[in-house]
Amino acid sequence: MLEEAPRPRVLRSRLWLFLSVVGPGIIAANADNDAGGIFGYSQAGAQYQYKMLWVLVLSTFALGVAQEIAARMAAVTGKGLADLIREEYGVKITLFAMIALLIANFATTVSEFAGILAAVELFARPWVRFIVLPLLAGAVWYLISRGSYRRVERVLLGASLIYLLYIASAFLAHPHWSQVIKQTFVPGFKQINPLHAYVFMIINVVGTTITPWGQFYIQSSVRDKGVKADEYPLLRIDVLFGAFFTNLIAYFIIVCCGATLYTHGIRQLDDAGQAAKALLPLAGPLAATLFAVGLFTASCFGAITVPLSTAYSVTEALGWQSGMGLRIREAPLFVAVYTVLIVSAALLVMLFPAHLASLIILPNIVGGILLPIILVLTLRIANKRRLMGKHVNSPLYNVIAWLTTGILILLSAILVITTIFPSVGG
């Protein structure tokens, strides 16, 4: 009896230890469900109903593996992904990766503020953007520049709970659950023609599930949080749960739009706000409101994490100081990068709100094409025993990760070929 007395104390200490490392995995995964992600999933549901759900199921495993590798590399090496790419492959490859990442991340940041605007305009007049966008841009900048890592993490973890609204909106859409379950596990290839559109949508779904900036963000955030290799087994739970949770939300977004937009012949969307507006007469005002509130939250979430990820990546690639809460004199480049991204994206959306449709989907496609390059570099580093020691990838992880990379390269090649030669894609 006396030997068992300390057990509650041990359990409490383990719980507190887990809570001390939890966060990066859930936040990084949920950040993928930003404005561009919601738009991409809404389009998948509107154009193919439930026929893309099988892609989402497979990408859940791929997302879990990709983010687990990045988080483990940070815990073992104490460095961000851009740091390791620069040290292992030199400046030229790092510069190429950073330029591609900057293009994708700028378009992504624009899409976040466009998502905020789309959600706000469902409840307010268009001129409100001249008040709301500067205020939110200022709030995002202040949170990153003046908040510590812990404070920003608490804000983002709290915001993650709002994603549950998408589950409610899916149930309010009253889908045929037998069809949903069947097409979750049985690929629907009947609408594969034209091939180009089908491949485009697959890359869109995968590109918004597993993002290059998400890989950089999770590794930098684990490093910034200071998680060590001996604490990593607890963080691993956080990472894998985050991958499951974020794709569960994406699953219900596709179900909601498939049950409403597809069923009523609404195939083409300009932004995620249009999806919320279309739900109003189809699924009722409550479903539309929940969808819009989720879009607003997700867009704010992305407006914080994407500029932050970009600032991490650029400063690490150049070997400069980085970290949340640092002042301009301590980390001038870090502060400059996220400031320029936030201000320029907010201004662009505020001044040219009607000309951003192509930018909203661009990050998903650029990300889907850039991702194989980032994954190849990541996998080669994660298998270097001199860096990772006993924490190198297991054979199973390598199979899943290399298979994902190979499939993305194949899909990207098909997309390029069918774009240049439309007749090939039917």
Side-chain angles (χ1 to χ4, degrees):
M1 294 293 292
L2 292 175
E3 293 179 359
E4 294 185 7
R7 289 184 64 187
R9 196 178 305 162
V10 171
L11 291 174
R12 282 197 298 272
S13 64
R14 288 179 179 175
L15 176 61
W16 282 114
L17 181 59
F18 173 71
L19 292 175
S20 70
V21 300
V22 73
I26 293 175
I27 291 170
N30 276 320
D32 291 334
N33 284 345
D34 56 357
I38 294 168
F39 178 46
Y41 296 134
S42 299
Q43 275 201 321
Q47 293 181 15
Y48 293 95
Q49 200 178 29
Y50 315 128
K51 294 179 178 63
M52 284 287 162
L53 291 176
W54 69 273
V55 177
L56 202 60
V57 171
L58 294 180
S59 70
T60 302
F61 294 99
L63 175 64
V65 168
Q67 298 219 312
E68 193 278 337
I69 292 171
R72 176 161 33 94
M73 286 167 58
V76 173
T77 66
K79 297 178 180 178
L81 182 54
D83 259 330
L84 292 175
I85 291 175
R86 173 175 51 83
E87 292 175 3
E88 296 297 316
Y89 299 106
V91 176
K92 289 183 179 179
I93 291 179
T94 307
L95 183 62
F96 168 76
M98 289 304 102
I99 291 174
L101 189 70
L102 276 170
I103 294 171
N105 283 11
F106 175 71
T108 304
T109 308
V110 171
S111 76
E112 310 303 355
F113 283 98
I116 291 171
L117 179 60
V120 169
E121 287 188 340
L122 290 172
F123 307 101
R125 298 292 180 88
W127 59 264
V128 173
R129 70 178 185 274
F130 294 104
I131 299 173
V132 172
L133 291 178
L135 284 176
L136 283 174
V140 168
W141 184 89
Y142 186 83
L143 180 65
I144 297 175
S145 62
R146 293 294 183 264
S148 63
Y149 177 88
R150 296 284 183 184
R151 185 181 302 170
V152 175
E153 185 180 69
R154 284 195 293 269
V155 170
L156 294 176
L157 282 174
S160 297
L161 297 175
I162 300 178
Y163 283 105
L164 295 171
L165 295 176
Y166 284 112
I167 298 178
S169 65
F171 277 93
L172 289 170
H174 303 294
H176 294 289
W177 289 107
S178 59
Q179 293 182 27
V180 172
I181 299 301
K182 179 183 177 182
Q183 294 186 44
T184 298
F185 301 102
V186 180
F189 292 128
K190 289 184 179 180
Q191 294 191 14
I192 197 172
N193 195 38
L195 180 62
H196 177 271
Y198 193 80
V199 172
F200 182 93
M201 188 55 67
I202 291 176
I203 292 179
N204 178 31
V205 170
V206 176
T208 197
T209 303
I210 313 170
T211 61
W213 71 263
Q215 294 302 110
F216 284 97
Y217 177 81
I218 189 170
Q219 189 156 337
S220 296
S221 63
V222 171
R223 183 216 65 193
D224 207 359
K225 188 165 186 173
V227 178
K228 304 302 181 186
D230 59 342
E231 300 171 317
Y232 181 71
L234 293 173
L235 180 65
R236 186 171 181 268
I237 299 172
D238 167 60
V239 172
L240 297 180
F241 175 77
F244 167 77
F245 181 78
T246 190
N247 273 14
L248 180 70
I249 301 304
Y251 183 92
F252 283 102
I253 293 173
I254 293 177
V255 169
C256 179
C257 293
T260 52
L261 306 185
Y262 179 89
T263 303
H264 290 82
I266 301 173
R267 299 287 191 270
Q268 193 61 41
L269 301 171
D270 292 327
D271 56 55
Q274 189 179 347
K277 191 180 298 182
L279 287 175
L280 186 61
L282 304 178
L286 180 57
T289 301
L290 294 179
F291 199 97
V293 172
L295 172 61
F296 179 82
T297 303
S299 301
C300 292
F301 203 109
I304 296 170
T305 53
V306 176
L308 187 56
S309 168
T310 312
Y312 274 135
S313 303
V314 171
T315 50
E316 288 169 8
L318 298 175
W320 287 50
Q321 180 70 22
S322 64
M324 273 186 275
L326 296 178
R327 302 298 188 264
I328 294 177
R329 65 179 181 276
E330 298 169 310
L333 184 61
F334 182 76
V335 175
V337 170
Y338 69 70
T339 300
V340 169
L341 275 179
I342 292 169
V343 172
S344 59
L347 278 174
L348 188 61
V349 174
M350 186 171 63
L351 298 177
F352 306 102
H355 306 283
L356 302 173
S358 59
L359 276 178
I360 292 176
I361 198 67
L362 177 65
N364 297 350
I365 302 306
V366 173
I369 295 173
L370 175 63
L371 183 62
I373 299 170
I374 302 301
L375 288 180
V376 167
L377 296 176
T378 300
L379 286 170
R380 292 188 63 184
I381 294 172
N383 282 293
K384 292 189 175 184
R385 197 166 290 275
R386 64 179 173 79
L387 288 174
M388 299 295 292
K390 65 180 182 179
H391 299 285
V392 293
N393 282 356
S394 69
L396 178 60
Y397 265 51
N398 276 327
V399 168
I400 296 174
W402 282 114
L403 185 62
T404 301
T405 303
I407 291 172
L408 282 172
I409 292 172
L410 177 62
L411 290 173
S412 299
I414 293 173
L415 181 65
V416 172
I417 293 170
T418 54
T419 300
I420 299 172
F421 306 103
S423 59
V424 175

